[in-house]
Amino acid sequence: MLLHFLIASVGTLLARRYALQRDLLDHPGERRSHQVVTPRGGGIAIVAALLVAIVALATRDPSQRWLLGGFGIGLVLVAAIGMADDHRPLPASLRLAVHALAAAVLAISLQMASGNHWLAMLAFVSAIILTNVWNFMDGINGLAASQALLVAMALAWVLGGSWALLAGALAAACAGFLPFNFPRARIFLGDGGSGGIGFSIAGLGTVAVMHDSRAALWLLLPLSAFLVDAGLTLSMRTLEGERWWEAHTRHAYQVWARSKGHMSVTLLYASWTATTVAVMIVLRTTPVSLAVALCVVTYLAASVVWWRLERMESHLKTTGDK
């Protein structure tokens, strides 16, 4: 864990130097939540730490070599297209096509390892969804990396063997990156980092389901904050005829940050997710019916919070217009 923490820390420093030299900078604007010019692309250090872990674990555990290899290839594809987009904006269709290819590689690897078609389909769908969800939700200081750290800790608890170690490596790498991104952001994750994190969580989560089908329900709890915010905001923008793939500041966390500030909102989201992780750890051996009930209650509560924040934003706009 210390090794991957250090890889991410040193890698983030190098990525920041590179971003400043290459003018890879995010400028403040109407579609951004930050107020100062900030370099991007630091999340590639987290990806690098994960790739080191994948190679080490594949060497140590030959029985998992093919599945780890498929995971690693998919991660490289997602991170590469994200880094290319960090350098020069690419069409959304091209990025999505590469995400689908990476998801297909992961799905094929899981199909070969488990022989389960449904699990392969889950891997494909979840990889595309979470890759983009983490990208959408990477908009304020520390949010995406802190949520990934907490979810990775939950995954490490659920998983076993090499995969628990890989989840721990993800958590350690996120911890190594966070001091550069929170409470004050000296560098952002960038599309390569945020996409790579989302893909990794999808892969680890699907492997957890392969080992224990009940994990699919319990892991929905720590993902609730991001899935509700991203899902409902995307649905709202689509219904209103907006281009959902374009940058914007309409997520609940962005609305909240305008009144509470980045640090408070990141800590509030972290408190929510840490609570769900604790509930998952304490109750995961209980009947599945309880997991279903808890998921329903959690997602309804999160949806109510999202709705209230959306109403608050609408009220502020109406007051401002008057």
Side-chain angles (χ1 to χ4, degrees):
M1 296 305 99
L2 178 61
L3 171 65
H4 298 295
F5 178 91
L6 291 174
I7 291 173
S9 297
V10 174
T12 303
L13 278 172
L14 296 175
R16 187 175 188 276
R17 181 181 301 177
Y18 173 82
L20 291 171
Q21 291 174 346
R22 297 296 297 271
D23 199 31
L24 302 182
L25 305 172
D26 279 343
H27 295 267
E30 291 182 358
R31 296 182 177 181
R32 299 189 185 277
S33 297
H34 61 282
Q35 303 299 321
V36 297
V37 177
T38 307
R40 61 179 179 269
I44 199 64
I46 296 175
V47 173
L50 279 175
L51 291 175
V52 170
I54 288 169
V55 172
L57 291 170
T59 302
R60 169 181 170 173
D61 187 358
S63 68
Q64 298 296 310
R65 188 168 295 167
W66 285 104
L67 186 50
L68 285 166
F71 184 103
I73 291 170
L75 176 59
V76 168
L77 287 170
V78 169
I81 193 66
M83 279 294 291
D85 189 63
D86 285 334
H87 283 75
R88 185 176 63 183
L90 300 173
S93 57
L94 175 59
R95 299 199 307 272
L96 187 59
V98 175
H99 293 167
L101 176 61
V105 172
L106 177 65
I108 291 169
S109 300
L110 276 158
Q111 167 67 33
M112 293 173 62
S114 67
N116 189 324
H117 298 290
W118 291 107
L119 187 65
M121 186 177 298
L122 175 64
F124 181 81
V125 173
S126 62
I128 292 177
I129 290 175
L130 291 182
T131 295
N132 286 281
V133 162
W134 243 264
N135 184 276
F136 294 155
M137 297 296 289
D138 178 31
I140 63 172
N141 300 349
L143 183 65
S146 62
Q147 289 291 304
L149 189 157
L150 290 167
V151 174
M153 290 172 63
L155 285 162
W157 183 270
V158 171
L159 288 161
S162 296
W163 294 95
L165 293 175
L166 185 58
L170 174 58
C174 289
F177 170 81
L178 265 171
F180 300 92
N181 187 241
F182 182 81
R184 182 176 67 88
R186 288 180 283 164
I187 190 168
F188 295 145
L189 281 171
D191 287 353
S194 59
I197 287 173
F199 179 88
S200 298
I201 289 172
L204 290 165
T206 314
V207 172
V209 175
M210 181 176 70
H211 293 154
D212 181 1
S213 59
R214 295 175 300 174
L217 281 171
W218 288 114
L219 289 172
L220 284 174
L221 290 176
L223 290 171
S224 59
F226 266 27
L227 289 180
V228 168
D229 195 346
L232 291 181
T233 303
L234 174 61
S235 299
M236 177 186 65
R237 296 186 72 221
T238 302
L239 290 172
E240 293 179 359
E242 295 184 22
R243 296 183 177 184
W244 58 267
W245 58 88
E246 291 185 348
H248 64 95
T249 56
R250 297 190 61 181
H251 283 290
Y253 75 87
Q254 293 169 317
V255 173
W256 216 357
R258 286 195 278 276
S259 61
K260 290 281 188 181
H262 289 213
M263 183 171 72
S264 295
V265 173
T266 294
L267 292 176
L268 286 166
Y269 268 69
S271 298
W272 174 285
T273 301
T275 301
T276 61
V277 171
V279 169
M280 185 201 79
I281 290 173
V282 172
L283 299 178
R284 67 178 292 253
T285 57
T286 55
V288 173
S289 57
L290 179 60
V292 173
L294 283 171
C295 282
V296 170
V297 171
T298 300
Y299 277 76
L300 283 175
S303 298
V304 169
V305 173
W306 179 91
W307 178 77
R308 289 181 64 86
L309 288 169
E310 174 60 24
R311 288 289 300 273
M312 181 180 75
E313 177 79 346
S314 300
H315 175 71
L316 290 173
K317 285 183 177 179
T318 302
T319 305
D321 292 340
K322 289 180 180 180

